[in-house]
Amino acid sequence: MAAEKPTPPFDTFVFDVDGTLLDTLDDLVVLTNDALAEFNLPPRTREEINSYVGNGVKALMYQAVPEGTPQDVADACLARWKENYGTYPNDLTKPYPGIPALLAELRRRGCKLGVLSNKFDGGVQFIMNKCLPDAVDVQHGEGGPQNFPRKPDPVGLLTTIEELGSTPARTVYIGDSPGDIHVARNAGCYAVGVGWGYHDPADFAAEGWEPDLLVSDPEQILALAPEA
């Protein structure tokens, strides 16, 4: 017998980062093409890099290098990307319109807030602290001290929910990709897809991971929270 689907209101909201809370694409283009250039590899277009985002920096970089690139060169590009990230200012990254107000209102309503991303954990800590400091209670990326596997493995999401003192039935997971809906389902959460990120909203149905709710404006997420 299938588990009963969680229903509103919810008091716990966990978000993806790239394409959901933050528009990071322009900085990802610079970082990726700088790493490629250091190894005399051709640059990628903004559209190409957009299509590589969502499964972590390793997947991004392995797709960005030309087909047939030796593994050691691809690994060196990945290592250089991560090294550059530590000193690159990421000044092109910004929250999507309405996101700071959404997080503030959810917190005002007593909700618990978290982040779980496939971005490497050091990158999550850096960019969240830079662009949305103190906006959430718990924030995790791939790897990190707890060595979380990438989504759609539910371990990271379930651990984040536990750290927030909540349960999957009380939790909404919000993201811009079919993989985000997949991890929400795997963890037993309510799944929200956003229409402003790096994936066409049609991708959800095309890949067989339709959200419980698809939103085009952050304010629509407030309907899932307790009343003010």
Side-chain angles (χ1 to χ4, degrees):
M1 183 174 172
E4 188 173 343
K5 187 171 77 172
T7 56
F10 300 97
D11 66 3
T12 308
F13 292 78
V14 183
F15 296 84
D16 174 50
V17 176
D18 294 43
T20 301
L21 293 179
L22 300 176
D23 184 355
T24 59
L25 185 57
D26 288 338
D27 281 322
L28 294 177
V29 170
V30 174
L31 281 159
T32 301
N33 282 332
D34 280 356
L36 291 170
E38 290 189 46
F39 292 88
N40 297 312
L41 298 174
R44 293 293 190 174
T45 66
R46 190 176 191 276
E47 291 69 27
E48 286 174 322
I49 292 171
N50 181 45
S51 72
Y52 305 152
V53 174
N55 291 309
V57 64
K58 181 185 289 187
L60 187 161
M61 207 67 236
Y62 283 1
Q63 291 176 91
V65 299
E67 188 175 351
T69 297
Q71 189 64 47
D72 63 329
V73 175
D75 289 342
C77 282
L78 173 61
R80 185 56 54 87
W81 194 104
K82 289 186 175 182
E83 181 183 333
N84 290 347
Y85 193 94
T87 57
Y88 179 72
N90 282 273
D91 285 340
L92 303 177
T93 290
K94 55 192 179 298
Y96 284 100
I99 288 296
L102 168 66
L103 297 178
E105 178 60 19
L106 287 172
R107 179 159 277 174
R108 191 180 76 82
R109 297 188 188 189
C111 296
K112 302 164 185 178
L113 305 179
V115 152
L116 179 71
S117 170
N118 273 348
K119 182 191 286 290
F120 70 106
D121 188 66
V124 168
Q125 305 307 325
F126 171 81
I127 205 63
M128 284 296 296
N129 292 338
K130 175 181 172 64
C131 296
L132 290 169
D134 302 317
V136 302
D137 305 299
V138 175
Q139 52 195 34
H140 292 301
E142 179 187 7
Q146 292 163 294
N147 198 31
F148 288 141
R150 284 188 299 135
K151 300 175 292 184
D153 189 299
V155 168
L157 181 51
L158 290 170
T159 304
T160 300
I161 293 167
E162 184 177 358
E163 289 174 344
L164 290 169
S166 189
T167 65
R170 292 160 47 199
T171 300
V172 181
Y173 186 72
I174 302 107
D176 72 310
S177 75
D180 293 323
I181 308 309
H182 191 172
V183 73
R185 296 271 188 268
N186 285 348
C189 300
Y190 188 89
V192 170
V194 306
W196 56 77
Y198 302 153
H199 294 262
D200 189 307
D203 290 348
F204 294 114
E207 295 192 25
W209 294 107
E210 293 193 66
D212 296 307
L213 176 67
L214 179 63
V215 298
S216 58
D217 187 295
E219 191 173 1
Q220 293 174 272
I221 294 170
L222 293 174
L224 301 174
E227 291 295 329

